[in-house]
Amino acid sequence: LYRSLTSYEQVGETVTLKNKKYNRVYLTEEAQLDMSKVEIYNADFDQAVVVKDSSSLAILNSQILSKNTAITSVGEETIINAISSEMASYGLFVLDISDKALFTGSNLKITNLSENGSGINVRSEASMVINNSNVSVKGVGVETDAIVSISNSEITSSSLKFYEGASVTLTDSRFYTDHGLLLVDNPTENKIHVSLNLEKVKLNTTYGAALSMIDAKASVKISESTIGQNSKNVMSLSNSEGTLTLCNTSIEGNINTDETSSLNILLKQESVLIGQINNENKYNTVTIQIEEASVWELTQDSYVRGIILKDKTLNGIKSNGHAIYYDTKCATNTWLNGNTIYLEDGGKITPDN
């Protein structure tokens, strides 16, 4: 079958294709192609579909199977819109979107059939918006330093990796991972921040922390979501600066940082954090702010840099008999006056001497 197929190449022009079979589709120089019920089986080229030079491609009810990348889109004003289609690869990525290209998709099935291949790569100021889709890979599900929005979808992968420069929104979706969401340094671009917003998301992590920051600056907002991890670690920071905001969300698990990191946590809108902070390493690198109607419930002694309570009745802390050790040098703690405050359920807020 593969040997009998030919390559379709289009330079400029506007064309519609239906019920065709090819081993490659190649668009360049502002070509515009609408294809429906097209099958592409690629065993000869590095990419099954290439869209570049301000070209545009609309894909409907089609199938793409490639020995390497299924779709590559490169360049500003290069656009792909895919609906109700299947895309599979045996290579490094299934979708590779870069250099200010735009990819939108709905009702997609994206699969990498190799043992360590990844799903979606969105880099260099490109953008991606997908919904009602399924991604299944053994490697990284989504890898990006650009703009990505995923809604009403399901991704099964080893992890999702967001480099500095990424702005990622995950909504009404489910993520089943081995190693959670990784927010990491950008080795190729001069970017300095990752923005991650999770709303009505279910995230399951088998090993390690659900959220890991590594050599990065990042902000994470989690709203109305469920975060589960077998190791009971919510977040881990290594040489990073981060903020974590919980809105109307309950999370059970621990937060750990190394001594070179800093983390600001905000609990708001009836959020609950059940776990300890830096119990093992005893670093004062985390500041936690607990707004009214939100609660931090301790499972072990914890160490913080600063603690801010909007409710001065201390109802925002359920200590279960454990202690919170704070840094007396932190200006945030002036309201404590360097004193020890004993809590009703047997715990205490006390200076870390």
Side-chain angles (χ1 to χ4, degrees), residues 23-69:
N23 64 1
R24 182 178 72 158
V25 169
Y26 190 94
L27 306 182
T28 187
E29 295 185 21
E30 301 183 7
Q32 297 183 38
L33 174 63
D34 288 359
M35 67 182 198
S36 62
K37 297 183 179 180
V38 170
E39 298 177 27
I40 302 171
Y41 301 103
N42 169 44
D44 301 315
F45 303 96
D46 290 334
Q47 304 94 6
V49 175
V50 178
V51 184
K52 58 188 297 186
D53 300 331
S54 301
S55 297
S56 63
L57 171 63
I59 306 170
L60 177 64
N61 294 325
S62 296
Q63 294 181 333
I64 302 170
L65 176 61
S66 179
K67 71 168 186 177
N68 289 315
T69 304

Side-chain angles (χ1 to χ4, degrees), residues 27 50-57 72-80 97-103:
L27 306 182
V50 178
V51 184
K52 58 188 297 186
D53 300 331
S54 301
S55 297
S56 63
L57 171 63
T72 294
S73 181
V74 182
E76 191 171 6
E77 297 184 4
T78 298
I79 300 171
I80 296 177
I97 314 301
S98 65
D99 297 323
K100 300 182 179 181
L102 170 63
F103 182 100

Side-chain angles (χ1 to χ4, degrees), residues 55-349:
S55 297
S56 63
L57 171 63
I59 306 170
L60 177 64
N61 294 325
S62 296
Q63 294 181 333
I64 302 170
L65 176 61
S66 179
K67 71 168 186 177
N68 289 315
T69 304
I71 295 178
T72 294
S73 181
V74 182
E76 191 171 6
E77 297 184 4
T78 298
I79 300 171
I80 296 177
N81 179 40
I83 300 174
S84 302
S85 296
E86 298 181 8
M87 304 157 186
S89 168
Y90 285 92
L92 185 61
F93 297 107
V94 182
L95 304 180
D96 188 11
I97 314 301
S98 65
D99 297 323
K100 300 182 179 181
L102 170 63
F103 182 100
T104 61
S106 179
N107 194 27
L108 305 179
K109 183 178 180 181
I110 299 169
T111 309
N112 198 311
L113 301 170
S114 69
E115 286 301 315
N116 54 10
S118 297
I120 299 169
N121 186 41
V122 185
R123 304 297 292 269
S124 302
E125 300 183 57
S127 302
M128 169 173 282
V129 179
I130 62 173
N131 65 81
N132 295 314
S133 296
N134 183 286
V135 179
S136 180
V137 300
K138 297 290 183 61
V140 180
V142 178
E143 191 168 333
T144 185
D145 64 1
I147 299 173
V148 170
S149 177
I150 299 173
S151 60
N152 299 297
S153 297
E154 182 172 301
I155 294 180
T156 302
S157 64
S158 67
S159 64
L160 282 76
K161 186 177 291 186
F162 308 135
Y163 295 95
E164 288 180 320
S167 178
V168 179
T169 301
L170 309 177
T171 309
D172 287 306
S173 297
R174 298 159 305 285
F175 301 91
Y176 302 97
T177 71
D178 293 330
H179 303 289
L181 310 185
L182 310 179
L183 290 70
V184 298
D185 175 49
N186 194 325
T188 59
E189 300 282 348
N190 186 24
K191 308 289 185 179
I192 60 171
H193 188 261
V194 182
S195 176
L196 174 60
N197 184 20
L198 284 68
E199 183 174 354
K200 297 180 180 178
V201 160
K202 178 179 180 181
L203 169 62
N204 281 355
T205 303
T206 304
Y207 309 105
L211 296 157
S212 298
M213 295 184 189
I214 304 169
D215 299 326
K217 294 182 179 180
S219 59
V220 179
K221 182 179 180 181
I222 304 176
S223 305
E224 301 180 65
S225 296
T226 302
I227 309 297
Q229 64 288 326
N230 290 346
S231 65
K232 298 299 183 183
N233 287 321
V234 173
M235 177 173 278
S236 173
L237 275 74
S238 175
N239 191 35
S240 297
E241 297 178 22
T243 63
L244 171 64
T245 301
L246 301 185
C247 301
N248 195 23
T249 295
S250 294
I251 292 180
E252 182 174 0
N254 304 321
I255 293 176
N256 299 289
T257 75
D258 65 7
E259 60 183 335
T260 63
S261 297
S262 65
L263 175 65
N264 294 321
I265 301 173
L266 173 59
L267 306 183
K268 58 189 299 186
Q269 298 174 5
E270 301 182 354
S271 290
V272 178
L273 172 63
I274 303 173
Q276 54 88 355
I277 297 176
N278 281 345
N279 171 267
E280 295 182 4
N281 57 40
K282 299 177 172 55
Y283 294 136
N284 300 116
T285 56
V286 177
T287 296
I288 184 167
Q289 178 175 334
I290 307 169
E291 296 198 346
E292 293 182 5
S294 293
V295 176
W296 175 22
E297 180 176 345
L298 279 73
T299 55
Q300 289 179 290
D301 290 351
S302 294
Y303 293 77
V304 300
R305 180 172 183 268
I307 183 166
I308 303 170
L309 290 172
K310 289 299 181 76
D311 185 350
K312 297 305 181 182
T313 65
L314 305 181
N315 289 333
I317 297 176
K318 185 177 180 180
S319 71
N320 294 316
H322 301 295
I324 300 172
Y325 295 92
Y326 68 89
D327 184 357
T328 56
K329 298 177 183 179
C330 178
T332 298
N333 301 321
T334 54
W335 66 280
L336 291 165
N337 295 318
N339 296 322
T340 295
I341 296 179
Y342 293 93
L343 304 172
E344 290 185 356
D345 58 351
K348 62 183 178 180
I349 304 173

